[in-house]
Amino acid sequence: MTATHHDVREPDLEAVFQATIDADQRIEPRDWMPDDYRRTLIRQIAQHAHSEIIGMQPEGNWITRAPSLRRKAILLAKVQDEAGHGMYLYAAAETLGVDREELTEKLISATQKYSSIFNYPTPSYADVGVIGWLVDGAAICNQVPLCRCSYGPYARAMVRICKEESFHQRQGYELLLAMVNGTPEQQAMVQESVDRWWWPSLMMFGPADGDSPNTQQSMAWNIKRHTNDELRQRFVDMSVPQAEALGVTLPDPDLRWNPERQAHDFGEPDWSEFTAVIAGSGPANTQRLAHRRRAHENGAWVREAAQAYAEKHS
Ligand code: BYC
């Protein structure tokens, strides 16, 4: 049998890929990459994009009921940023050879995941502040290291996203500061909301390291730079002084400073809840996907018109 050009070149290409990773440099769309590297990135970037799009819903719930014009303008801007983040991320995924249409189909048919956190309801206006503080805070912890991800288009998208996420976190914290300095009812609303969001925020970092099938390989490829547990610890350590400044209690009786480790010890999230939520039976999974599906169907005429316009002008 004669070796094809492809067979001869493959070991060289793989060596070039590995040398690029070893030198901590970037892989770009036209570079050769192993199939599993491509698959892992498509999986993670698609999930990330879907999370941004589904993540518009919990807070979007409050746009029409924000208590002032100022709060409404801030919230509108934040939710629009999330749509933008979804777009940057779908565009990054498209450089790997998938298209957005196909990814959207996978989202609305529930064959690709999105973050567990967006399957919880937002019954209280304090949730807008707590999502900004804790959920966007956790997102920043997780996403800042992704700015150094080995895949160029993803890393570059993350730089912009992280800048905007910092604004999101500040707006949440500023809202909470106003509420904790308000009436006793407002203070109680903040505490009640923190009680609901603390544990789901810790779950955003994914399963414990021993139960995370993807971490090791993703770290070897410089896609992930830290393990799930490392980032969860960093988030807890960051949140404790912020909770103190707000005068709220984090709902974990095991949370305390450990001087030996120079870090906080904390309790174990309820992993059975996490598993149920990512399997589709969280409190708002059905509602979130139904809403997304409806929005997609209602937007069909816009996509058709845009397509017809593009064809006319091509
Ligand atoms: N929720 O081996 P593991 C945002 C899945 S957007 C659902 O540790 P990996 C924001 C995981 O996918 C927030 N699924 O996986 C937006 C895997 O399943 P598959 C989203 C989860 O990939 C709007 C399995 O469990 N952020 O912040 O190495 C408003 C085993 O896990 C979750 C990102 O997407 C979860 N929480 O690590 C406000 C960041 N955790 O795919 C805020 C980018 C795990 O094998 N993603 N799973 O079926 C990542 O950094 C990583 O993908 C993760 C998981 C750390 C999340």
Side-chain angles (χ1 to χ4, degrees):
M1 240 172 52
T2 46
T4 62
H5 179 70
H6 186 71
D7 290 334
V8 175
R9 298 281 301 159
E10 191 101 336
D12 296 349
L13 293 170
E14 190 150 6
V16 171
F17 170 83
Q18 196 54 51
T20 308
I21 297 289
D22 294 344
D24 208 353
Q25 294 192 339
R26 296 272 161 82
I27 305 296
E28 296 297 338
R30 280 183 234 279
D31 295 342
W32 182 91
M33 61 188 85
D35 289 344
D36 281 344
Y37 177 83
R38 187 184 300 276
R39 248 194 307 276
T40 295
L41 280 165
I42 292 172
R43 176 182 66 78
Q44 178 166 328
I45 301 172
Q47 279 182 18
H48 196 165
H50 299 331
S51 302
E52 298 285 354
I53 298 302
I54 298 284
M56 296 169 75
Q57 292 183 40
E59 291 165 283
N61 182 35
W62 284 95
I63 291 174
T64 54
R65 288 173 291 155
S68 68
L69 180 61
R70 175 171 172 269
R71 292 290 172 200
K72 184 171 172 138
I74 293 171
L75 187 54
L76 262 174
K78 188 199 179 225
V79 172
Q80 284 175 348
D81 281 353
E82 278 149 14
H85 297 175
M87 298 308 110
Y88 308 158
L89 288 163
Y90 285 126
E94 285 190 319
T95 66
L96 291 158
V98 285
D99 70 50
R100 194 172 137 197
E101 184 77 29
E102 173 190 342
L103 297 179
T104 301
E105 282 305 323
K106 287 186 171 156
L107 167 63
I108 60 184
S109 61
T111 48
Q112 269 176 351
K113 295 190 174 79
Y114 58 88
S115 182
S116 52
I117 193 73
F118 302 117
N119 292 306
Y120 293 86
T122 46
S124 152
Y125 180 66
D127 294 344
V128 172
V130 172
I131 288 176
W133 173 39
L134 294 179
V135 175
D136 294 305
I140 292 168
C141 258
N142 165 265
Q143 292 174 7
V144 166
L146 292 174
C147 299
R148 293 186 295 117
C149 164
S150 58
Y151 188 59
Y154 190 29
R156 287 187 290 272
M158 289 318 302
V159 173
R160 284 180 71 166
I161 292 178
C162 284
K163 285 184 185 158
E164 291 170 356
E165 293 290 1
S166 306
F167 150 66
H168 294 175
Q169 198 205 13
R170 296 294 301 184
Q171 71 79 35
Y173 199 77
E174 190 267 347
L175 168 55
L176 294 180
L177 268 181
M179 290 186 79
V180 298
N181 288 307
T183 64
E185 286 82 359
Q186 287 175 312
Q187 292 160 3
M189 278 172 75
V190 173
Q191 183 62 57
E192 188 273 336
S193 175
V194 170
D195 290 346
R196 281 183 289 108
W197 289 97
W198 175 248
W199 292 107
S201 299
L202 293 189
M203 294 174 196
M204 287 176 71
F205 296 93
D209 291 350
D211 298 317
S212 165
N214 300 301
T215 294
Q216 213 181 358
Q217 181 61 72
S218 288
M219 287 188 56
W221 277 328
N222 293 342
I223 295 174
K224 286 168 85 163
R225 297 288 183 159
H226 305 277
T227 71
N228 299 353
D229 285 333
E230 283 165 8
L231 292 174
R232 195 168 8 251
Q233 177 74 56
R234 189 178 287 185
F235 173 68
V236 171
D237 292 336
M238 186 180 98
S239 302
V240 168
Q242 295 171 350
E244 276 162 17
L246 288 171
V248 295
T249 308
L250 297 173
D252 178 358
D254 297 323
L255 182 63
R256 65 181 60 84
W257 178 249
N258 180 329
E260 272 111 73
R261 290 203 306 120
Q262 288 290 302
H264 292 86
D265 290 338
F266 57 99
E268 195 71 31
D270 178 352
W271 294 117
S272 63
E273 175 181 317
F274 173 74
T275 310
V277 172
I278 65 175
S281 39
N285 295 59
T286 309
Q287 180 191 336
R288 298 285 183 250
L289 275 186
H291 185 91
R292 187 69 205 92
R293 224 175 271 128
R294 208 161 46 237
H296 188 65
E297 284 157 15
N298 290 341
W301 70 272
V302 179
R303 292 189 297 278
E304 280 159 22
Q307 188 70 40
Y309 184 80
E311 272 158 23
K312 200 164 123 191
H313 289 263
S314 69

